[in-house]
Amino acid sequence: YFTRTVHTRFLLPSHLMKPAPFQYVAARTLEQALELKAEHGDEARFLAGGQSLVPTMNFRLTQPTMLIDINPLMALAGIRSSAPQTLRVGAMTRYAKLEREEATARHLPLIHEALPHIAHPQIRNRGTIGGNLAHADPASEMPAIVLTLGGKVRAQSTRGERWIAAADFFVGALTTALDPDELLTEVELPVAPPRCGSCFMEMSRRRGDFAIIGVACTVRLDADDRCGAARIGLCNAGDTPVFATRASESLAGRQIGKPEIDEAADLVRRSIEPGGNVHASKEFQRHIAGVLTARALAAANERARREH
C-alpha cells in the first residue's frame, strides 16, 4: 500500500476551509484496514463515500490524524442472500447501485421507495450505506429505515466480529456502538414477507435537503386482514433514529382503519422529542410527524391488502 501525509493551509476563509494535516492510506485488504484501525484507534477514520466525513474535515469539526481509504475493498460491496428471509448488503454498496438493483425493489421495497429522497444523485453515486449508518446522523433516512426493518449490522476488528441489532447500534447523535477499532462491514435486513406493505414519506424544505421529519413504516396483515405486526420509525425526531414502540404495538391484532391510524399517529406525536431548528419548531415537527405517520400507515395498509 502507499501512504502520504497531506498538509494544508490554515488561514483561509470559511468557504475555502481545508482539513488539518492527516496521513492517508489506501488499504488493499480488509485485514490491513483493521490492523491500522487497531493501531490508531479514534485517531484514524475510515473513508468510504466521504459524503459526510469530508465536509466535517473541511470545517475541522473532525480532525483525524489518519484516513484509511477502504474504497479498494470491493468485497465489501454488493447484495447477497444470506438466508431465505434475509439479505445482506455490503457496507461499501453505494446508494446509486442499491437504487438500481432489482433485489432492492423486490425484497426491500421500503428502502427502494426511500432512496430517491436521500440527498441528490451526485451524493448517491458516492455515498455508501455503511458509511451513512456509521455516521449515525439522526436526520438521515437510512438509520431510521434500518431500525424500522429490525436490521442488524456486522462489526469487525482484529479481535473478531459481532452482530449488533439496529436498536442497540445508534446510541446518540453521530454516535454508535462501534468500538474504536471496529469497522461496519455488512448490513443484514429481513426481506418483505407476503401480505406486507411499506411506505416512506418525509417533508423537507427542498428536495435533497435533510428531512424536517421522515416516517418509515411497515404493516403485515394476517389471513383475516388484521394487523399481524406494524413497525413505525422516524428520522429527525430525536437524538437518534426513533422507533415508535407504543404506536407500532397499538395496531397489532386490529383491523386497520381511520380510528386506528389516528390513534397511532397521536401516539407518535406525543412520544417524540424533536430538537427543533430555524426551519421548524418542535411543535411543528411533532405535527408533521403525526400527519406523515397517518398518511404512511394508510398507504402501507393498502399496499399490504394488494399483496397476495
Side-chain angles (χ1 to χ4, degrees), residues 244 246-250 262-272:
R246 287 186 61 201
S248 301
E249 292 175 347
S250 74
D262 288 345
E263 178 185 343
D266 186 58
L267 286 170
V268 166
R269 251 191 311 266
R270 292 191 280 116
S271 67
I272 62 174

Side-chain angles (χ1 to χ4, degrees), residues 61-293:
L61 300 173
T62 304
Q63 297 187 36
T65 59
M66 172 174 282
L67 214 54
I68 306 169
D69 189 347
I70 57 174
N71 280 274
L73 308 183
M74 297 309 299
L76 296 183
I79 304 174
R80 63 186 179 90
S81 176
S82 56
Q85 303 303 320
T86 59
L87 286 179
R88 290 186 181 177
V89 183
M92 284 300 298
T93 306
R94 304 196 191 277
Y95 280 138
K97 174 69 171 175
L98 197 58
E99 197 172 357
R100 293 191 297 265
E101 282 285 343
E102 184 181 345
T104 308
R106 181 187 303 136
H107 299 301
L108 303 171
L110 182 61
I111 289 180
H112 187 258
E113 183 173 19
L115 282 168
H117 293 275
I118 298 175
H120 302 282
Q122 297 90 334
I123 301 295
R124 297 197 295 274
N125 280 337
R126 293 299 303 167
T128 65
I129 187 171
N132 181 254
L133 295 176
H135 186 60
D137 191 328
S140 187
E141 294 88 351
M142 196 56 67
I145 291 167
V146 172
L147 178 63
T148 301
L149 291 174
K152 58 183 181 179
V153 303
R154 182 184 186 187
Q156 288 186 251
S157 70
T158 55
R159 298 176 287 110
E161 66 175 60
R162 61 183 177 130
W163 286 93
I164 310 171
D168 302 319
F169 184 71
F170 304 104
V171 299
L174 308 181
T175 307
T176 72
L178 288 173
D179 288 335
D181 62 342
E182 286 184 316
L183 169 65
L184 191 163
T185 58
E186 202 169 27
V187 186
E188 184 172 88
L189 300 163
V191 302
R195 304 219 71 200
C196 181
S198 62
C199 185
F200 178 84
M201 292 185 176
E202 71 174 37
M203 177 182 179
S204 59
R205 292 181 64 243
R206 297 170 300 186
R207 188 169 185 85
D209 284 2
F210 279 119
I212 291 173
I213 284 286
V215 175
C217 68
T218 64
V219 173
R220 179 175 58 80
L221 301 180
D222 62 20
D224 298 319
D225 280 346
R226 294 183 180 276
C227 177
R231 297 181 65 86
I232 305 168
L234 300 97
C235 60
N236 214 12
D239 290 338
T240 64
V242 173
F243 181 69
T245 304
R246 287 186 61 201
S248 301
E249 292 175 347
S250 74
L251 297 165
R254 304 170 72 182
Q255 292 269 2
I256 297 180
K258 189 175 186 305
E260 291 75 22
I261 289 173
D262 288 345
E263 178 185 343
D266 186 58
L267 286 170
V268 166
R269 251 191 311 266
R270 292 191 280 116
S271 67
I272 62 174
E273 289 294 336
N277 52 57
V278 296
H279 304 303
S281 66
K282 295 180 181 181
E283 291 72 21
F284 183 64
Q285 285 183 289
R286 288 194 184 98
H287 170 71
I288 294 302
V291 171
L292 293 185
T293 297

